Amino acid sequence: MIPRTVFSPTHEQFRDQVRRFVVREILPHHAAWEEAGVVPREAWRKAGEAGLLLCNVPEEWGGMGGDFLHSAIVIEEMSRAGATGPAFSLHSDIVAPYLLHYGTEAQKRRWLPAMARGDALAAIAMTEPQGGSDLQAIRTTAIRDGDDYVISGQKIYITNAQGADVIVVAAKTDPTARGRGVSLILVETDRPGFARGKPLKKVGCKAMDTSELFFDQVRVPVTNLLGEEGRGFAQLMTELAQERLVQAVRAVASAEAALEQTIAYVTARPAFGQTVADFQNTQFRLAEMRAEIAVLRVYVDRCLEVHLAGGLDAVDAAIAKMQTTEMLGRVVDQCVQLHGGAGYMWEYPIARAWADARMARIAGGSIEVMKQIIARSLLPKQEKRQGRAAAE
């Protein structure tokens, strides 16, 4: 395999620490967390003590003061271990950046240090029952009433919802507008009128709690506004590039782990007087998967480099997310097939990896949305195309 050059020796030392933590504090308990449908708060606190939360948040705000590569290492090592329950990356790399980039000093000091310690858990609420990817059409409202916003609406498929202490809520401060009417508002979960639905039963990622949220005239002070009123949609679009890179990093690491598990299985599994690995069909499939993973590994590493330099745009992030998550789906499906009947048994890691992988093509924007983002970057603006057609 082409050597990875994006990580420094210091990063690799951190990787060793993360790997030991996963083996010691997560893997022995993960099956029980899947049964319970939630990761206990104590696991979050241990992760905070070990420096696995808010890795790339500056020390002045309670973080480790590292860079996004430290976050990528946590994502990779959790993915390789099949530890899909603790939503550390959503808390650290998807929610925390909104506070870091748009929060006031008071908001940062209240939430970021506690989040880094694992004492406060965070979630973000965008998706609604009426629609998923069209964030400009959300119906949850936040109407100004004196020094408060009054929030009413419903959100669904919200990860970390059961344990969250604070939620970044996308709501319409101007219900008559589309994107320009969206604002991001911090909602503490102990406020009257806020309610959580029962944890939703998912096909995979069973230890990662996911729920519906209800806002019935929830009053929050206007000081809970993140950034500027009406700028929420632009803020979401800016931060979604990193969210999609998170999905890509996870997908490649998960595919590598699935392939390793499958190689170990087929080389030990006897069939017709030889091992499953001795069949040419098996060898060809393994070779195809290895090549596909290797190519995307290089692309994602390059995206990491560009992101560190502040240059990862929405199109490159969409390409990374689309290609890696679709690749992951193909790889885990092939790996299940090579396991035979064992691949369909929940006790085998490959079965859980197969179920967990399906979410990747939906989370952070569906594959269809990724295709639209990429296509729009290739074609002239709609008004220009219409102008040319009229001229002809």
Side-chain angles (χ1 to χ4, degrees):
M1 181 177 288
I2 295 174
R4 301 182 71 184
T5 58
V6 66
F7 297 104
S8 70
T10 302
H11 287 119
E12 294 302 340
Q13 290 175 1
F14 178 67
R15 186 186 299 278
D16 291 338
Q17 297 172 18
V18 174
R19 191 169 292 175
R20 288 194 296 271
F21 178 87
V22 171
V23 170
R24 183 180 68 251
E25 301 292 350
I26 294 181
L27 291 184
H29 312 291
H30 200 267
W33 297 345
E34 287 182 325
E35 289 291 330
V38 68
V39 175
R41 184 65 64 102
E42 184 58 28
W44 285 86
R45 292 196 177 101
K46 288 182 178 180
E49 291 172 7
L52 271 66
L53 303 179
L54 277 61
C55 297
N56 61 334
V57 168
E59 292 181 25
E60 65 175 305
W61 304 117
M64 191 179 77
D67 55 30
F68 186 72
L69 293 178
H70 290 92
S71 296
I73 287 169
V74 175
I75 296 165
E76 288 184 351
E77 294 308 313
M78 296 278 286
S79 301
R80 286 198 178 99
T84 58
F88 295 160
S89 64
L90 178 133
H91 172 91
S92 301
D93 308 312
I94 296 174
V95 182
Y98 287 98
L99 278 156
L100 183 64
H101 297 153
Y102 309 111
T104 63
E105 182 169 345
Q107 290 169 343
K108 293 177 186 178
R109 293 209 178 279
R110 179 179 181 186
W111 293 113
L112 289 176
M115 288 170 62
R117 294 191 303 269
D119 289 333
L121 305 190
I124 184 165
M126 293 185 279
T127 305
E128 297 185 352
Q130 312 86 255
S133 297
D134 187 3
L135 298 177
Q136 298 185 71
I138 59 175
R139 298 182 184 179
T140 298
T141 57
I143 305 303
R144 182 77 178 259
D145 181 24
D147 292 331
D148 291 338
Y149 286 112
V150 181
I151 303 175
S152 297
Q154 185 177 352
K155 300 290 183 178
I156 198 169
Y157 310 138
I158 308 304
T159 299
N160 266 9
Q162 289 297 314
D165 301 288
V166 63
I167 299 173
V168 176
V169 177
K172 284 284 184 72
T173 45
D174 181 358
T176 65
R178 278 181 58 80
R180 293 180 181 179
V182 177
S183 299
L184 301 183
I185 300 172
L186 296 172
V187 177
E188 301 91 342
T189 56
D190 59 356
R191 290 192 173 272
F194 172 80
R196 313 173 215 248
K198 293 181 180 179
L200 300 171
K201 294 184 178 181
K202 304 188 298 297
V203 172
C205 300
K206 293 179 179 293
M208 182 189 293
D209 73 271
T210 305
S211 303
E212 213 167 358
L213 301 178
F214 304 92
F215 303 85
D216 182 11
Q217 301 286 300
V218 179
R219 300 185 76 94
V220 301
V222 294
T223 52
N224 278 25
L225 178 70
L226 265 180
E228 300 176 32
E229 189 172 290
R231 292 286 298 165
F233 184 73
Q235 293 164 353
L236 290 168
M237 293 304 99
T238 299
E239 300 302 326
L240 277 172
Q242 178 163 298
E243 179 174 350
R244 287 159 184 165
L245 182 56
V246 165
Q247 297 292 339
V249 170
R250 178 182 292 120
V252 175
S254 299
E256 289 173 339
L259 181 58
E260 290 172 7
Q261 293 165 15
T262 303
I263 291 171
Y265 181 83
V266 298
T267 53
R269 173 70 167 162
F272 301 101
Q274 55 187 342
T275 68
V276 174
D278 290 322
F279 291 97
Q280 187 181 66
N281 177 67
T282 302
Q283 295 168 11
F284 281 5
R285 291 193 181 193
L286 294 174
E288 290 165 355
M289 289 188 284
R290 170 68 178 79
E292 192 171 14
I293 294 169
V295 170
L296 286 173
R297 160 60 67 208
V298 174
Y299 183 76
V300 171
D301 278 0
R302 178 57 183 148
C303 285
L304 285 170
E305 291 175 340
V306 173
H307 186 51
L308 288 174
L312 185 68
D313 63 19
V315 176
D316 289 328
I319 292 171
K321 198 267 184 184
M322 181 181 76
Q323 292 296 93
T324 57
T325 58
E326 290 200 314
M327 174 274 294
L328 175 61
R330 291 190 295 270
V331 165
V332 291
D333 191 69
Q334 291 274 18
C335 289
V336 166
Q337 191 68 23
L338 289 173
H339 275 73
Y344 204 63
M345 300 298 109
W346 194 252
E347 65 187 273
Y348 280 83
I350 195 62
R352 298 195 294 277
W354 177 70
D356 294 344
R358 190 60 187 85
M359 181 184 71
R361 282 175 276 172
I362 301 169
S366 69
I367 292 298
E368 291 71 26
V369 171
M370 299 304 101
K371 290 178 180 179
Q372 280 203 315
I373 292 169
I374 298 164
R376 285 172 182 167
S377 73
L378 303 175
L379 301 173
K381 296 292 186 181
Q382 181 70 23
E383 56 268 23
K384 292 183 180 179
R385 294 203 303 273
Q386 291 174 343
R388 284 202 304 268
E392 292 172 356

